[in-house]
């Protein structure tokens, strides 16, 4: 496919191959964008902003709805692209394509609800005759940078609110999974989006990222990805708004009174969704001692039922990791844990990019799988004395996106809600729950700001105050 700059689909001699990680097949190529391409895209987006900021809300709504409709009509095509270029199975990919239509429709809804307020200027002596209000205006050109693991819906989470808010965009999709984003770009143009409003530059983050995020014409960098790139971008961005949706190593606490089967089923899915490459993925499970043995037994039984294999097979439960390099990385992390005393309950087998769903127990504190983000199908289960220990261990990391608790005791649930240091607490569900309209984001190294359309719109617009000095 080609990249989109200044309303034209641009090709280049230098290409990047898009590879299906399951079989190594080259499924397409995209241009290897350069710093010059980034500069041209930003210039086009600056012109695009002159158009987008004047686009009436009813037109923004119509474009977003139409784009959602196109994705819906081509749902299977989108799902096939997601499944082929990334790690997801076809069933997981269909869910993502559906969620993209929800995200775009919510963006259309929220575009009509960008509200302001009147201001009581007469609260200050001398301001009795002043009247006024504030409204929200778009901020300008937004640089949107997205990761590989949800190559369509996470792009929609940036383009939806950016366009709803009247901004223009330069999008840099993940280097390894650019096709879903380009396809969504086509849908936006087909839906009538004035072309300069959306520019998509494909390429390596390490080659074109700095030029994009440091350019003063960019008014906001909206980034979703790993903490390392996030920190680098934050240092470089300078005086502009920053939205950071980063990683985590999410904890689940299972108390002795919980519905064991529900906790197992939900946590297995949360651990291995998208081959564990999921910012909300279940990584650490803290189980109260009376049910620990039972929980581990059931969890391992369920995990062993997972069908690992060709992503496009209808009955496949889990596909490969995004690259063989990533699979080798996690294999080494697990080796480190084993050397330090961890026990492999199942999995820890690799073939190319495929790494079998792996359950560990006895994991000592401080090894990588315990305290860093695994971003792989590896989960560790730990026994705990009580809720206090579960909360303490859950919080003893540098991340804080989602946490979960399984219990039927409302008081314990509320204690966990109030004491867990995270952006979201799921009660009687795993950490891997998100509906696209809810505020979404983390604390600590998990990020800055919130997405979820209404909340992203607040980040992507800013208030302008209007005051009338009247003679009345
Ligand atoms: P990554 O950080 O390697 O890459 C993300 C994007 O940043 C890609 O488009 C990449 O090309 C680009 N990039 C890399 N270096 C850059 C630089 N110096 N300047 C500008 N752009 C640069 O992440 P990934 O491997 O694609 O995704 C996995 C990570 O994303 C995990 O840590 C995961 O938890 C996180 N993630 C977070 C959320 C969330 O909403 N919180 C959602 C999905 C994924």
């Amino acid at each position: 496919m080609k990249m989109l700059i200044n309303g034209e689909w641009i090709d280049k001699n230098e290409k990047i191959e898009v590879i299906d990680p399951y079989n190594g097949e080259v499924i397409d190529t995209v241009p290897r964008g350069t710093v010059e391409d980034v500069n041209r895209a930003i210039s086009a987006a600056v012109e695009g902003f002159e158009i987008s900021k004047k686009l009436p809300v009813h037109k923004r709504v119509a474009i977003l709805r139409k784009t959602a409709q196109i994705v819906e009509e081509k749902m299977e095509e989108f799902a096939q692209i997601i499944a082929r270029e990334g790690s997801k199975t076809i069933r997981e990919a269909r869910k993502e394509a559906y969620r993209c239509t929800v995200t775009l429709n919510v963006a259309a809804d929220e575009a009509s609800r960008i509200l302001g307020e009147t201001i009581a200027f007469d609260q200050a002596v001398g301001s009795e005759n002043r009247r006024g209000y504030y409204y929200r205006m778009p901020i300008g050109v937004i640089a949107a940078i997205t990761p590989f693991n949800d190559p369509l819906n996470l792009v929609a989470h940036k383009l939806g609110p950016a366009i709803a808010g009247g901004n223009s965009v330069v999008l840099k999709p993940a280097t390894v999974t650019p096709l879903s984003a380009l396809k969504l770009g086509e849908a936006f143009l087909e839906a009538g989006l004035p072309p300069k409003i959306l520019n998509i530059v494909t390429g390596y983050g390490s080659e074109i990222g700095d030029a994009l995020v440091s350019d003063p014409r960019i008014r906001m960098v909206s980034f979703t990805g790993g903490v390392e790139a996030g920190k680098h971008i934050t240092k470089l961005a300078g005086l502009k708004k920053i939205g950071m949706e980063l990683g985590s190593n999410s904890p689940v606490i299972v108390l002795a009174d919980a519905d064991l089967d529900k906790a197992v089923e939900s946590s297995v899915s949360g651990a291995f969704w998208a081959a564990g490459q999921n910012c909300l993925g279940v990584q650490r499970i803290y189980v109260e001692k009376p049910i620990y043995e039972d929980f581990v037994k059931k969890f391992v039984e369920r995990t062993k039922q997972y069908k690992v294999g060709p992503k496009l097979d209808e009955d496949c439960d889990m596909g490969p990791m995004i690259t063989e390099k990533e699979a080798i990385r996690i294999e080494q992390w697990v080796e480190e844990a084993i050397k330090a005393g961890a026990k492999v309950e199942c999995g820890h087998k690799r073939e190319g990019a495929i790494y079998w769903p792996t359950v560990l127990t006895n994991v000592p504190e401080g090894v990588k799988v315990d305290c860093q983000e695994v971003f792989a199908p590896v989960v560790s289960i730990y026994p705990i004395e009580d809720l206090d220990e579960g909360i303490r261990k859950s919080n003893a990391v540098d991340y804080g996106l989602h946490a979960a608790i399984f219990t039927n005791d409302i008081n314990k649930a509320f204690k966990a809600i109030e004491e867990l240091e995270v952006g979201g607490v799921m009660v009687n569900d795993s950490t891997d729950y998100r509906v696209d309209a809810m505020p979404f984001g983390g604390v600590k190294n998990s990020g800055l700001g919130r997405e979820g359309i209404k909340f992203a719109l607040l980040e992507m617009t800013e208030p302008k105050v209007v005051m009338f000095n009247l003679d009345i």
Side-chain angles (χ1 to χ4, degrees):
M1 292 182 81
K2 297 174 184 172
M3 59 185 178
L4 178 63
I5 299 177
N6 201 19
E8 285 173 38
W9 291 100
I10 307 281
D11 209 355
K12 305 207 64 129
N13 289 334
E14 286 233 45
K15 310 247 196 267
I16 297 173
E17 292 181 337
V18 183
I19 292 168
D20 181 335
Y22 181 72
N23 51 21
E25 232 175 73
V26 177
I27 51 176
D28 206 340
T29 61
V30 293
R32 179 174 176 169
T34 60
V35 168
E36 197 184 88
D37 296 314
V38 166
N39 282 327
R40 283 195 301 124
I42 298 173
S43 300
V46 169
E47 289 175 29
F49 182 55
E50 293 305 311
I51 305 165
S52 63
K53 70 181 179 191
K54 293 180 190 142
L55 210 58
V57 166
H58 68 81
K59 285 209 170 134
R60 298 181 204 169
V61 170
I63 290 164
L64 288 160
R65 287 232 188 279
K66 179 78 186 158
T67 310
Q69 192 193 327
I70 294 168
V71 176
E72 196 174 343
E73 282 161 11
K74 299 181 181 171
M75 190 94 86
E76 188 57 25
E77 216 180 302
F78 273 96
Q80 292 281 338
I81 292 174
I82 294 168
R84 287 219 67 196
E85 71 174 341
S87 284
K88 284 189 173 166
T89 65
I90 187 65
R91 285 186 287 133
E92 291 172 333
R94 285 190 191 120
K95 285 199 174 151
E96 184 179 343
Y98 161 71
R99 277 185 57 188
C100 175
T101 67
V102 174
T103 303
L104 295 172
N105 276 318
V106 175
D109 296 342
E110 292 298 337
S112 332
R113 296 192 203 126
I114 308 172
L115 305 176
E117 284 181 318
T118 55
I119 297 166
F121 284 104
D122 61 352
Q123 66 193 273
V125 175
S127 283
E128 290 79 1
N129 281 345
R130 290 168 204 254
R131 303 287 182 273
Y133 59 93
Y134 73 83
Y135 68 101
R136 300 196 73 85
M137 56 176 183
I139 57 174
V141 182
I142 295 176
I145 303 175
T146 52
F148 74 82
N149 59 316
D150 289 312
L152 181 66
N153 193 36
L154 289 180
V155 173
H157 265 287
K158 306 221 180 283
L159 302 187
I163 289 163
N167 302 288
S168 64
V169 182
V170 178
L171 167 69
K172 198 216 88 59
T175 316
V176 283
T177 57
L179 304 178
S180 306
L182 291 167
K183 188 95 187 141
L184 185 61
E186 282 179 3
F188 266 108
L189 294 196
E190 191 184 332
L193 184 75
K196 292 181 184 200
I197 294 177
L198 173 60
N199 300 270
I200 308 177
V201 184
T202 52
Y204 293 105
S206 55
E207 289 179 4
I208 59 174
D210 288 6
L212 179 60
V213 301
S214 62
D215 193 301
R217 293 171 295 173
I218 300 286
R219 296 305 303 138
M220 176 180 185
V221 179
S222 176
F223 175 78
T224 302
V227 70
E228 207 180 308
K231 283 184 174 167
H232 174 82
I233 290 168
T234 308
K235 271 196 202 136
L236 213 75
L239 208 59
K240 51 177 68 102
K241 274 188 148 182
I242 292 178
M244 287 281 149
E245 297 285 337
L246 309 176
S248 198
N249 48 12
S250 302
V252 173
I253 299 170
V254 186
L255 299 186
D257 68 20
D259 177 334
L260 196 60
D261 291 335
K262 186 173 174 183
V264 167
E265 189 62 32
S266 166
S267 301
V268 168
S269 161
F272 304 127
W273 183 265
Q277 298 157 112
N278 174 3
C279 57
L280 296 175
V282 173
Q283 178 171 333
R284 300 173 288 143
I285 307 180
Y286 298 108
V287 186
E288 268 190 325
K289 279 187 180 156
I291 55 163
Y292 175 77
E293 296 296 334
D294 260 5
F295 184 91
V296 172
K297 187 167 163 272
K298 287 186 179 223
F299 196 98
V300 171
E301 271 168 16
R302 183 70 189 92
T303 302
K304 284 182 175 164
Q305 289 165 3
Y306 255 54
K307 283 204 176 130
V308 181
K311 293 173 289 177
L312 297 178
D313 284 5
E314 290 294 334
D315 63 349
C316 175
D317 293 313
M318 202 187 91
M321 293 189 63
I322 192 67
T323 56
E324 182 170 7
K325 190 170 159 224
E326 274 296 290
I328 292 171
R329 172 196 53 88
I330 195 61
E331 189 180 32
Q332 290 169 349
W333 283 25
V334 172
E335 287 298 331
E336 179 210 40
I338 294 168
K339 280 199 190 101
K343 180 176 172 215
V344 176
E345 299 286 346
C346 65
H348 188 42
K349 175 179 137 193
R350 185 182 68 78
E351 250 178 60
I354 302 176
Y355 186 73
W356 265 256
T358 300
V359 181
L360 303 176
T361 53
N362 245 358
V363 175
E365 273 177 29
V367 294
K368 292 196 193 75
V369 295
D370 174 62
C371 58
Q372 297 194 21
E373 179 186 34
V374 295
F375 217 62
V378 174
V379 64
S380 302
I381 311 179
Y382 309 79
I384 49 165
E385 288 298 337
D386 55 18
L387 177 59
D388 282 329
E389 187 183 358
I391 293 174
R392 203 170 54 248
K393 292 197 161 150
S394 294
N395 287 342
V397 291
D398 294 333
Y399 290 106
L401 194 51
H402 276 187
I405 177 161
F406 286 87
T407 180
N408 285 312
D409 181 329
I410 197 161
N411 291 305
K412 288 182 175 168
F414 266 90
K415 183 177 164 67
I417 291 165
E418 288 176 19
E419 294 184 14
L420 287 165
E421 296 161 2
V422 287
V425 178
M426 307 300 128
V427 181
N428 290 335
D429 209 336
S430 91
T431 52
D432 183 24
Y433 178 78
R434 180 180 186 186
V435 68
D436 293 287
M438 74 190 209
F440 182 73
V443 301
K444 304 186 195 169
N445 278 350
S446 291
L448 283 177
R450 291 293 180 269
E451 288 198 346
I453 312 305
K454 179 174 163 186
F455 308 90
L457 252 172
L458 284 177
E459 313 269 351
M460 292 177 172
T461 54
E462 49 201 354
K464 183 183 265 185
V465 171
V466 182
M467 189 279 290
F468 293 83
N469 184 5
L470 302 170
D471 289 323
I472 50 174

